[in-house]
Short mmCIF file of all heavy atoms in Angstrom, two decimals:
data_model
loop_
_atom_site.label_atom_id
_atom_site.label_comp_id
_atom_site.label_asym_id
_atom_site.label_seq_id
_atom_site.Cartn_x
_atom_site.Cartn_y
_atom_site.Cartn_z
N LEU A 234 0.81 -1.22 0.00
CA LEU A 234 0.00 0.00 0.00
C LEU A 234 0.84 1.27 0.00
O LEU A 234 0.40 2.30 -0.48
CB LEU A 234 -0.92 0.01 1.22
CG LEU A 234 -1.97 -1.09 1.24
CD1 LEU A 234 -2.73 -1.04 2.55
CD2 LEU A 234 -2.91 -0.93 0.07
N MET A 235 2.03 1.22 0.53
CA MET A 235 2.86 2.41 0.66
C MET A 235 3.96 2.49 -0.39
O MET A 235 4.92 3.21 -0.24
CB MET A 235 3.50 2.45 2.05
CG MET A 235 2.48 2.49 3.18
SD MET A 235 1.44 3.94 3.11
CE MET A 235 2.60 5.17 3.60
N ALA A 236 3.86 1.74 -1.44
CA ALA A 236 4.91 1.75 -2.47
C ALA A 236 4.90 3.08 -3.20
O ALA A 236 3.85 3.61 -3.54
CB ALA A 236 4.68 0.62 -3.46
N SER A 237 6.08 3.62 -3.44
CA SER A 237 6.16 4.91 -4.12
C SER A 237 6.44 4.75 -5.61
O SER A 237 6.22 5.68 -6.36
CB SER A 237 7.25 5.79 -3.48
OG SER A 237 8.50 5.17 -3.61
N THR A 238 6.92 3.61 -6.05
CA THR A 238 7.17 3.39 -7.47
C THR A 238 6.70 1.99 -7.84
O THR A 238 6.49 1.13 -6.97
CB THR A 238 8.67 3.51 -7.82
OG1 THR A 238 9.37 2.47 -7.14
CG2 THR A 238 9.23 4.87 -7.45
N ARG A 239 6.61 1.74 -9.14
CA ARG A 239 6.23 0.41 -9.61
C ARG A 239 7.29 -0.61 -9.23
O ARG A 239 6.99 -1.76 -9.00
CB ARG A 239 6.06 0.41 -11.14
CG ARG A 239 4.79 1.04 -11.58
CD ARG A 239 4.53 0.81 -13.07
NE ARG A 239 4.98 -0.44 -13.60
CZ ARG A 239 4.37 -1.62 -13.44
NH1 ARG A 239 3.29 -1.70 -12.71
NH2 ARG A 239 4.83 -2.71 -14.00
N ARG A 240 8.54 -0.19 -9.14
CA ARG A 240 9.62 -1.11 -8.81
C ARG A 240 9.41 -1.71 -7.42
O ARG A 240 9.69 -2.87 -7.18
CB ARG A 240 10.97 -0.39 -8.87
CG ARG A 240 12.14 -1.31 -8.65
CD ARG A 240 13.44 -0.54 -8.66
NE ARG A 240 14.61 -1.34 -8.65
CZ ARG A 240 14.96 -2.20 -7.71
NH1 ARG A 240 14.19 -2.41 -6.69
NH2 ARG A 240 16.07 -2.88 -7.79
N GLU A 241 8.91 -0.91 -6.48
CA GLU A 241 8.69 -1.40 -5.13
C GLU A 241 7.47 -2.31 -5.05
O GLU A 241 7.37 -3.12 -4.14
CB GLU A 241 8.51 -0.22 -4.18
CG GLU A 241 9.76 0.61 -4.02
CD GLU A 241 9.51 1.85 -3.18
OE1 GLU A 241 8.42 1.95 -2.58
OE2 GLU A 241 10.38 2.72 -3.15
N VAL A 242 6.58 -2.19 -5.99
CA VAL A 242 5.35 -2.98 -5.94
C VAL A 242 5.60 -4.43 -6.34
O VAL A 242 5.22 -5.35 -5.65
CB VAL A 242 4.28 -2.35 -6.86
CG1 VAL A 242 3.06 -3.24 -6.95
CG2 VAL A 242 3.90 -0.99 -6.35
N ASP A 243 6.24 -4.64 -7.46
CA ASP A 243 6.39 -5.99 -7.98
C ASP A 243 7.73 -6.14 -8.68
O ASP A 243 7.87 -5.78 -9.83
CB ASP A 243 5.25 -6.29 -8.95
CG ASP A 243 5.33 -7.69 -9.53
OD1 ASP A 243 5.82 -8.59 -8.83
OD2 ASP A 243 4.90 -7.88 -10.68
N VAL A 244 8.70 -6.65 -7.95
CA VAL A 244 10.01 -6.92 -8.55
C VAL A 244 10.12 -8.43 -8.70
O VAL A 244 10.20 -9.15 -7.71
CB VAL A 244 11.16 -6.38 -7.68
CG1 VAL A 244 12.49 -6.74 -8.29
CG2 VAL A 244 11.02 -4.89 -7.51
N PRO A 245 10.08 -8.92 -9.93
CA PRO A 245 10.13 -10.37 -10.11
C PRO A 245 11.52 -10.92 -9.81
O PRO A 245 12.52 -10.23 -9.93
CB PRO A 245 9.80 -10.55 -11.60
CG PRO A 245 10.21 -9.27 -12.23
CD PRO A 245 10.00 -8.21 -11.19
N SER A 246 11.55 -12.17 -9.40
CA SER A 246 12.83 -12.83 -9.19
C SER A 246 12.88 -14.05 -10.10
O SER A 246 11.85 -14.65 -10.43
CB SER A 246 13.01 -13.22 -7.73
OG SER A 246 12.07 -14.20 -7.36
N TYR A 247 14.07 -14.37 -10.51
CA TYR A 247 14.29 -15.47 -11.43
C TYR A 247 15.28 -16.44 -10.81
O TYR A 247 16.15 -16.04 -10.05
CB TYR A 247 14.86 -14.95 -12.76
CG TYR A 247 13.94 -13.99 -13.45
CD1 TYR A 247 14.07 -12.62 -13.26
CD2 TYR A 247 12.92 -14.44 -14.26
CE1 TYR A 247 13.21 -11.73 -13.87
CE2 TYR A 247 12.06 -13.56 -14.88
CZ TYR A 247 12.22 -12.20 -14.69
OH TYR A 247 11.36 -11.33 -15.28
N PRO A 248 15.17 -17.71 -11.18
CA PRO A 248 16.19 -18.66 -10.71
C PRO A 248 17.56 -18.27 -11.27
O PRO A 248 17.66 -17.76 -12.39
CB PRO A 248 15.73 -20.00 -11.28
CG PRO A 248 14.40 -19.78 -11.88
CD PRO A 248 14.14 -18.33 -11.98
N LEU A 249 18.60 -18.49 -10.50
CA LEU A 249 19.95 -18.12 -10.91
C LEU A 249 20.35 -18.81 -12.21
O LEU A 249 20.99 -18.20 -13.07
CB LEU A 249 20.96 -18.46 -9.80
CG LEU A 249 22.40 -18.12 -10.08
CD1 LEU A 249 22.56 -16.61 -10.30
CD2 LEU A 249 23.29 -18.59 -8.96
N TRP A 250 19.93 -20.05 -12.38
CA TRP A 250 20.30 -20.77 -13.60
C TRP A 250 19.74 -20.08 -14.84
O TRP A 250 20.38 -20.07 -15.89
CB TRP A 250 19.85 -22.23 -13.54
CG TRP A 250 18.36 -22.42 -13.53
CD1 TRP A 250 17.56 -22.55 -12.44
CD2 TRP A 250 17.49 -22.49 -14.66
NE1 TRP A 250 16.24 -22.68 -12.81
CE2 TRP A 250 16.18 -22.65 -14.18
CE3 TRP A 250 17.68 -22.43 -16.03
CZ2 TRP A 250 15.07 -22.75 -15.02
CZ3 TRP A 250 16.58 -22.53 -16.88
CH2 TRP A 250 15.30 -22.70 -16.36
N LEU A 251 18.55 -19.47 -14.72
CA LEU A 251 17.95 -18.79 -15.87
C LEU A 251 18.74 -17.54 -16.24
O LEU A 251 18.92 -17.23 -17.42
CB LEU A 251 16.50 -18.42 -15.58
CG LEU A 251 15.75 -17.75 -16.73
CD1 LEU A 251 15.58 -18.72 -17.89
CD2 LEU A 251 14.41 -17.24 -16.26
N LEU A 252 19.23 -16.82 -15.25
CA LEU A 252 20.01 -15.62 -15.50
C LEU A 252 21.35 -15.93 -16.17
O LEU A 252 21.93 -15.08 -16.83
CB LEU A 252 20.26 -14.86 -14.20
CG LEU A 252 19.01 -14.31 -13.53
CD1 LEU A 252 19.36 -13.70 -12.18
CD2 LEU A 252 18.33 -13.30 -14.42
N ILE A 253 21.83 -17.15 -16.00
CA ILE A 253 23.08 -17.57 -16.64
C ILE A 253 22.80 -18.22 -17.99
O ILE A 253 23.46 -17.92 -18.99
CB ILE A 253 23.85 -18.53 -15.71
CG1 ILE A 253 24.27 -17.78 -14.44
CG2 ILE A 253 25.06 -19.12 -16.42
CD1 ILE A 253 24.79 -18.67 -13.35
N VAL A 254 21.82 -19.11 -18.02
CA VAL A 254 21.55 -19.89 -19.24
C VAL A 254 20.93 -19.03 -20.35
O VAL A 254 21.31 -19.17 -21.52
CB VAL A 254 20.64 -21.10 -18.91
CG1 VAL A 254 20.13 -21.78 -20.17
CG2 VAL A 254 21.39 -22.10 -18.05
N ALA A 255 20.00 -18.15 -20.02
CA ALA A 255 19.29 -17.38 -21.06
C ALA A 255 20.23 -16.55 -21.92
O ALA A 255 20.15 -16.62 -23.16
CB ALA A 255 18.20 -16.51 -20.44
N PRO A 256 21.15 -15.76 -21.35
CA PRO A 256 22.05 -14.99 -22.21
C PRO A 256 22.98 -15.86 -23.05
O PRO A 256 23.18 -15.60 -24.24
CB PRO A 256 22.86 -14.13 -21.24
CG PRO A 256 22.12 -14.14 -19.98
CD PRO A 256 21.31 -15.39 -19.95
N PHE A 257 23.54 -16.91 -22.43
CA PHE A 257 24.45 -17.77 -23.18
C PHE A 257 23.72 -18.58 -24.25
O PHE A 257 24.26 -18.81 -25.33
CB PHE A 257 25.24 -18.68 -22.23
CG PHE A 257 26.34 -17.96 -21.52
CD1 PHE A 257 26.23 -17.66 -20.18
CD2 PHE A 257 27.48 -17.56 -22.20
CE1 PHE A 257 27.23 -16.99 -19.51
CE2 PHE A 257 28.49 -16.88 -21.55
CZ PHE A 257 28.37 -16.59 -20.20
N ALA A 258 22.50 -19.00 -23.95
CA ALA A 258 21.71 -19.70 -24.97
C ALA A 258 21.36 -18.77 -26.13
O ALA A 258 21.44 -19.16 -27.30
CB ALA A 258 20.43 -20.26 -24.35
N ALA A 259 21.01 -17.52 -25.81
CA ALA A 259 20.71 -16.55 -26.87
C ALA A 259 21.93 -16.28 -27.73
O ALA A 259 21.85 -16.24 -28.97
CB ALA A 259 20.19 -15.25 -26.26
N LEU A 260 23.08 -16.08 -27.09
CA LEU A 260 24.32 -15.84 -27.84
C LEU A 260 24.70 -17.05 -28.69
O LEU A 260 25.09 -16.91 -29.85
CB LEU A 260 25.46 -15.49 -26.88
CG LEU A 260 25.37 -14.12 -26.23
CD1 LEU A 260 26.31 -14.05 -25.03
CD2 LEU A 260 25.71 -13.04 -27.23
#
């Protein structure tokens, strides 16, 4: 209720493996 920006409202989190695999798979 007291969030001042959209960033504070909903910041998604991702599994660490996805943050590593997605860029290398794309490249």
